[in-house]
Amino acid sequence: NKTTIMVTPDITEAISMADKIIVLSKRPAHVIEKIDIDINETSPIKKRQNEKFQKYFEKLWNVINVE
């Protein structure tokens, strides 16, 4: 297995590309939340079409807007 760290301001991209999302606070950064993405699709496009996608989007949106 390989690990890649990707930094993005795009919630849709994060959900589509990741198995786990870690949300950081403003500076000095600390971890606000860790979210495992449980969508069993390998294609980013198919992940976006999955019924769980919107649930993860709303959860991340709420976490980011609190910060």
Side-chain angles (χ1 to χ4, degrees), residues 39-51 53:
I39 300 177
N40 295 323
E41 301 287 353
T42 55
S43 162
I45 293 172
K46 290 194 181 225
K47 275 190 173 184
R48 291 180 189 208
Q49 296 169 344
N50 190 289
E51 60 195 32
F53 185 89

Side-chain angles (χ1 to χ4, degrees), residues 1-65:
N1 290 336
K2 294 184 180 184
T3 300
T4 302
I5 297 174
M6 180 178 80
V7 178
T8 181
D10 185 332
I11 296 172
T12 302
E13 180 180 45
I15 299 167
S16 298
M17 301 296 292
D19 295 324
K20 179 182 285 192
I21 297 173
I22 299 172
V23 180
L24 300 176
S25 68
K26 295 178 184 177
R27 293 181 192 178
H30 65 276
V31 174
I32 296 174
E33 183 136 2
K34 295 178 185 178
I35 301 170
D36 289 317
I37 304 298
D38 183 27
I39 300 177
N40 295 323
E41 301 287 353
T42 55
S43 162
I45 293 172
K46 290 194 181 225
K47 275 190 173 184
R48 291 180 189 208
Q49 296 169 344
N50 190 289
E51 60 195 32
K52 296 179 184 178
F53 185 89
Q54 188 64 35
K55 177 187 84 164
Y56 288 116
F57 186 94
E58 290 172 10
K59 181 172 184 162
L60 278 163
W61 184 261
N62 290 329
V63 168
I64 290 168
N65 279 327

